[in-house]
Amino acid sequence: MITFNKDSRFFHLSTKNTSYVFGVYQMNHLIHLYWGAKIPEDNVLTHYLSTQRMSFSARDDGFTAGSTDNLTMEYPTFGSTDLRSPAFDCVFADGSRVPQLRYYSHKIYDGKPKLEGLPATYCEDGDKVQTLEVELVDSLKDLHVFLNYSVFEDYDVITRSVRVENRGEKCKITTILSASVDLNSAHNYDFIHLDGAWAKERAVNRQPLFHGKQSVDSKRGATSAHHNCFVALSEHNANETMGEVYSMNLVYSGNFEAGCEVDSYDTGRMFIGINPFEFGWTLENGETFQSPEAVLVYSNKGLGAMSRIYHKLYRERLCRGKFRDIERYALINNWEATYMRFNEEKLLAIAEKAKDIGLDLFVLDDGWFGKRDVDNCSLGDWVVYKEKLPNGLGGLAQKLNALGLKFGLWVEPEMVSPDSDLYRAHPDWALQTKGRVPSTGRTQLVLDLSRKDVREFTINWLTEILSSANIEYIKWDMNRNMTEVGSLLLSDERQSEVYHRYILGLYEILETITSRFPNILFESCSGGGGRFDPGMLHYMPQTWTSDDSDAVERVYIQYGTSMCYPYSAMGAHVSACPNHQVRRTTPFEMRGHVALPGQFGFELDLSKLTDEEIEIAKQQVKEYKEFGAVFHRGDCYRLISPFERHISALNFVSEDKNTVILLRYRTVAKPNERFAFVKLQGLEPDAVYVRRDNGAKYTGAFLMNAGIPWEFALTEYQSAMTVFDKQ
Ligand code: DGJ
């Protein structure tokens, strides 16, 4: 629900449990007033503006309320009276800066428009969603900036994005954040973000805010494994179940920055958007620019409630297509089974076992094209490697289909190997900076997707390959950071646009291919979880979470990932031991218990499993088929963090609230550890729950307040999945 009070000139945006208020103030400055738990609309909030601050700050003539430097601003610019970090900045044709954006008009309407060329959340008929568009104008330069707010009332979410229309002289945008919110009392908050590296993505990182600017970002061309485009500020004592949390997540897959600048008065300017570093976008008269969308979630019930809001929104109103609401495939992927050393016979031997244990789909990973025996060649030459697959993809697909399995394929369309026919024919198609030798990563270069000819080539070969065989799943990989970023086709002035143009080009390809092949399930991947972000999830409902398939490592990685991404989006496989990344040996059971809540599969040579392991694998597939919907459409509650203890636990409650699944893991053995009770969450206190494995009955209140003991021996890598049915 969105209202505008004509007297106070305040906008009041409210969801089921939250309010967001800002207003048009003196001299048409847009002032931020409140974001937090729901407050009544008719209360006037002007006391938020009474600042008693003595400072050097300047003020506009006629502005009697102190300086905007000391106020909470809604969409700050730099150079006039507010000298903190801006949400928007630009350079005009005459070299001047200091954009001055003032309220001009607004409209409120039902529903939510699409974002031109960018992924975004959406609404469906019957959703309570409204949009507010506030027009700000720099009247000297005739630059119009539209702030868009969409309120998802039942989801408790507000989204924001910004569109610029240049009706004046040419200018160059240098900063355009998607959201900026000035919060009072930032000294009360911790800064939470997800950091990592290849094979150790999205660890939960939490520190108290300090005075000054703190942020995480990517300058790598993709969101990256190093930082995720997510930031949360929480009260110091907030935990999974209590306390205030403000959070932002960006629906974008390229360079971003997210953070908070705390000023001398403890006002925290929380922000998220395209990374201003190395960014510049020239707008001629009549041109527009659209920023990506930020998703804002506030919770006063801790981090768990925040995450569940993101999970539901992303499952239902970010992901799209046929696979959004149905259980997906349990699969076998041959990567860790064979790497690139395979032939049809070897693949079929694995496939037969896959069928035997009840899997749905066989994924052929890297190595099926060109002369690809090692990772130093052939990207770009998307023709079947006949020595490995004499019957082509079609022949393999037919044999798999005859076995009763679907066929899935790995591709890496954004790359080109210097040793490829494609690169020999089109060296100018790779990203490059004039005069510099482009550096390779994994012996490959990045294709310049800002170019139309490259995009057309990519769409054409993908269409051809996907039509050439009965392919029902695609794993879309991307295996390096971008360097020497530049495009040979763009003018000198526009080289600072290449990072963003690349992402727009990628989105154009993804939109075309995923809508052309609606029956294919797409999974994104970037050397594991190097591009696990809401932008990719809009096109592909799941992402390969990490190249680290070790069960213990995955307990951490998946826990961190679940801060804002649902388990339904996490590809998770049982792999061989000793594990290929960390050499650890964990029980087959634990590997299953860790992979089961995600998009489940196997990634090992099934033909080498013992009879006993085959039996366990069959059981795991059965459990996945039975409980997949609980994990993927139910609510997830994080109970014990592996980052805090040597054990971890979570429980899922099915959509109909009738099934509860408790997962417990021990990551390290420790003697004489303190006794652990696991207290479940999200149950009905008065309902009775029957434990399936032993018939014990408990009330919800008992399970949530007293909990059940850890129950296992102290040995390492113990795990258990316990199912309760509501009576
Ligand atoms: C990186 C991916 O994350 C792996 O799963 C695998 O597909 C390799 N690339 C193949 O090159």
Side-chain angles (χ1 to χ4, degrees):
M1 169 90 156
I2 301 174
T3 57
F4 178 65
N5 183 318
K6 286 203 176 84
D7 300 323
S8 63
R9 300 213 292 173
F10 286 176
F11 297 99
H12 193 114
L13 285 59
S14 53
T15 67
K16 207 167 42 178
N17 296 302
T18 71
S19 296
Y20 184 105
V21 189
F22 64 98
V24 185
Y25 199 47
Q26 290 181 16
M27 302 182 72
N28 288 336
H29 279 284
L30 217 54
I31 306 284
H32 179 76
L33 288 156
Y34 178 80
W35 181 24
K38 198 155 184 161
I39 52 171
E41 261 174 69
D42 44 14
N43 278 18
V44 176
L45 284 163
T46 39
H47 55 278
Y48 268 57
L49 300 172
S50 56
T51 54
Q52 302 289 324
R53 292 164 183 170
M54 327 267 279
S55 77
F56 274 33
S57 304
R59 67 167 80 154
D60 306 318
D61 269 352
F63 193 81
T64 59
S67 168
T68 59
D69 202 29
N70 300 330
L71 294 175
T72 46
M73 306 303 292
E74 185 61 18
Y75 197 65
T77 54
F78 182 78
S80 255
T81 51
D82 183 351
L83 298 177
R84 293 166 290 178
S85 298
F88 182 84
D89 204 6
C90 66
V91 191
F92 297 101
D94 58 6
S96 68
R97 305 184 78 112
V98 198
Q100 296 192 341
L101 302 176
R102 299 286 185 272
Y103 170 82
Y104 183 73
S105 73
H106 74 268
K107 37 184 186 183
I108 296 170
Y109 49 87
D110 288 341
K112 180 174 190 286
K114 284 191 171 168
L115 256 59
E116 186 65 36
L118 286 164
T121 56
Y122 56 88
C123 60
E124 292 197 337
D125 288 351
D127 289 353
K128 281 197 228 147
V129 176
Q130 280 195 314
T131 296
L132 161 67
E133 232 177 83
V134 180
E135 182 179 10
L136 307 176
V137 178
D138 182 323
S139 53
L140 177 69
K141 301 293 185 183
D142 212 3
L143 188 70
H144 295 242
V145 173
F146 296 83
L147 307 183
N148 266 43
Y149 300 78
S150 290
V151 172
F152 286 76
E153 195 165 333
D154 291 337
Y155 285 85
D156 260 332
V157 167
I158 294 173
T159 62
R160 288 183 61 176
S161 68
V162 180
R163 185 168 50 85
V164 182
E165 266 178 43
N166 185 15
R167 300 182 195 160
E169 65 193 40
K170 174 167 144 176
C171 73
K172 185 173 192 168
I173 302 170
T174 52
T175 299
I176 178 165
L177 298 179
S178 300
S180 167
V181 181
D182 285 352
L183 298 167
N184 285 308
S185 314
H187 59 284
N188 285 335
Y189 297 120
D190 285 344
F191 180 63
I192 300 175
H193 61 96
L194 305 172
D195 72 353
W198 174 78
K200 49 176 260 189
E201 298 90 341
R202 290 173 297 286
V204 181
N205 197 311
R206 180 171 179 167
Q207 270 117 33
L209 279 176
F210 54 79
H211 285 115
K213 190 170 174 180
Q214 45 243 273
S215 70
V216 291
D217 78 348
S218 168
K219 307 180 196 71
R220 295 164 186 275
T223 29
S224 91
H226 298 255
H227 293 295
N228 198 261
C229 47
F230 164 80
V231 60
L233 304 185
S234 76
E235 284 182 314
H236 296 314
N237 63 351
N239 59 24
E240 282 295 316
T241 55
M242 54 155 274
E244 282 200 301
V245 190
Y246 297 89
S247 65
M248 295 179 176
N249 193 201
L250 192 67
V251 187
Y252 191 57
S253 311
N255 290 351
F256 71 91
E257 189 181 8
C260 185
E261 181 179 51
V262 184
D263 71 11
S264 325
Y265 316 107
D266 292 333
T267 299
R269 178 163 285 175
M270 185 182 187
F271 61 89
I272 200 161
I274 290 180
N275 197 343
F277 179 79
E278 297 258 313
F279 172 80
W281 194 280
T282 300
L283 281 185
E284 299 285 349
N285 174 283
E287 287 186 339
T288 62
F289 183 87
Q290 172 66 58
S291 86
E293 172 171 281
V295 179
L296 277 61
V297 174
Y298 165 85
S299 147
N300 59 3
K301 296 195 173 55
L303 291 160
M306 172 204 73
S307 298
R308 285 186 291 281
I309 291 172
Y310 280 113
H311 293 176
K312 189 167 165 59
L313 181 80
Y314 288 175
R315 281 195 311 253
E316 298 177 0
R317 295 294 180 266
L318 174 71
C319 295
R320 298 175 298 171
K322 161 173 165 181
F323 294 94
R324 186 188 75 176
D325 300 326
I326 57 174
E327 276 315 297
R328 305 186 198 139
Y329 309 128
L331 59 83
I332 170 76
N333 178 304
N334 76 311
W335 179 243
E336 289 195 22
T338 65
Y339 295 99
M340 295 185 201
R341 296 178 298 276
F342 59 81
N343 56 28
E344 195 185 83
E345 202 186 336
K346 203 163 174 182
L347 299 179
L348 289 172
I350 297 172
E352 269 166 35
K353 286 286 177 190
K355 182 63 199 163
D356 189 34
I357 64 171
L359 294 173
D360 305 307
L361 180 125
F362 181 98
V363 182
L364 173 57
D365 211 284
D366 195 354
W368 59 266
F369 53 94
K371 292 273 171 223
R372 186 101 163 151
D373 291 316
V374 276
D375 60 12
N376 63 5
C377 70
S378 299
L379 290 167
D381 296 346
W382 298 104
V383 282
V384 176
Y385 195 162
K386 283 280 182 168
E387 279 140 54
K388 290 185 189 177
L389 299 172
N391 303 306
L393 295 176
L396 178 63
Q398 270 172 16
K399 288 185 184 152
L400 290 169
N401 292 167
L403 275 176
L405 288 174
K406 296 175 189 299
F407 174 46
L409 189 67
W410 176 98
V411 290
E412 192 174 1
E414 298 162 64
M415 299 290 153
V416 63
S417 307
D419 181 8
S420 67
D421 292 342
L422 182 69
Y423 187 70
R424 283 182 281 274
H426 299 285
D428 52 327
W429 280 13
L431 286 178
Q432 55 201 280
T433 294
K434 274 186 223 159
R436 309 273 172 203
V437 178
S439 317
T440 53
R442 210 194 188 203
T443 342
Q444 61 200 49
L445 298 169
V446 186
L447 283 172
D448 178 0
L449 300 190
S450 75
R451 294 174 65 124
K452 194 160 182 283
D453 48 2
V454 175
R455 296 199 295 277
E456 275 169 7
F457 163 80
T458 308
I459 288 169
N460 288 344
W461 78 254
L462 276 164
T463 302
E464 221 171 277
I465 288 282
L466 298 187
S467 314
S468 73
N470 190 16
I471 296 171
E472 299 188 64
Y473 162 105
I474 281 289
K475 176 177 172 188
W476 182 295
D477 207 348
M478 192 277 195
N479 281 304
R480 61 161 291 182
N481 295 320
M482 294 179 198
T483 56
E484 292 87 23
V485 171
S487 170
L488 293 186
L489 267 198
L490 276 181
S491 64
D492 297 349
E493 175 180 58
R494 290 190 179 270
Q495 291 299 314
S496 54
E497 298 175 10
V498 179
Y499 281 111
H500 184 59
R501 282 184 184 272
Y502 178 95
I503 296 296
L504 293 179
L506 171 66
Y507 289 152
E508 183 187 304
I509 296 170
L510 296 180
E511 183 67 36
T512 310
I513 291 297
T514 54
S515 42
R516 200 169 277 177
F517 296 95
N519 293 322
I520 293 183
L521 170 62
F522 288 85
E523 173 167 301
S524 82
C525 172
S526 178
R531 206 165 51 184
F532 203 132
D533 60 59
M536 293 308 286
L537 288 178
H538 187 61
Y539 303 98
M540 309 188 175
Q542 58 194 64
T543 301
W544 179 228
T545 313
S546 175
D547 268 353
D548 194 338
S549 63
D550 170 65
V552 173
E553 290 295 308
R554 277 298 188 107
V555 169
Y556 294 84
I557 294 167
Q558 293 174 190
Y559 186 97
T561 304
S562 78
M563 273 299 140
C564 56
Y565 306 108
Y567 273 83
S568 59
M570 298 183 211
H573 299 168
V574 171
S575 63
C577 279
N579 172 268
H580 293 193
Q581 294 80 38
V582 296
R583 311 305 300 163
R584 186 185 275 126
T585 295
T586 51
F588 208 92
E589 288 85 347
M590 183 189 195
R591 285 175 260 163
H593 289 149
V594 174
L596 274 168
Q599 291 297 342
F600 179 79
F602 291 84
E603 187 148 339
L604 42 72
D605 189 344
L606 291 171
S607 65
K608 292 191 180 140
L609 293 188
T610 63
D611 290 348
E612 194 195 340
E613 286 170 331
I614 287 285
E615 287 315 305
I616 306 173
K618 279 184 183 163
Q619 181 61 21
Q620 289 170 345
V621 178
K622 217 171 122 232
E623 284 169 346
Y624 181 67
K625 304 254 159 160
E626 186 174 359
F627 301 125
V630 181
F631 298 128
H632 301 153
R633 285 201 287 283
D635 282 328
C636 168
Y637 296 84
R638 293 181 297 258
L639 308 177
I640 299 175
S641 166
F643 295 98
E644 288 164 16
R645 300 196 60 179
H646 303 299
I647 52 177
S648 180
L650 46 152
N651 76 260
F652 291 82
V653 179
S654 64
E655 219 176 357
D656 64 8
K657 310 279 179 229
N658 287 335
T659 311
V660 176
I661 304 179
L662 170 67
L663 288 162
R664 285 172 280 176
Y665 312 110
R666 173 174 284 284
T667 53
V668 178
K670 286 276 169 191
N672 286 329
E673 270 236 280
R674 67 183 189 265
F675 206 52
F677 278 91
V678 186
K679 297 178 184 178
L680 279 71
Q681 293 176 32
L683 313 189
E684 291 165 32
D686 297 331
V688 172
Y689 295 86
V690 186
R691 185 170 159 164
R692 265 197 211 178
D693 59 357
N694 63 10
K697 290 186 181 177
Y698 307 87
T699 60
F702 184 90
L703 289 172
M704 291 194 291
N705 298 324
I708 58 171
W710 190 254
E711 295 178 325
F712 316 122
L714 278 179
T715 40
E716 235 149 22
Y717 318 139
Q718 294 287 328
S719 67
M721 183 167 98
T722 313
V723 183
F724 299 85
D725 296 298
K726 195 172 91 179
Q727 212 172 37

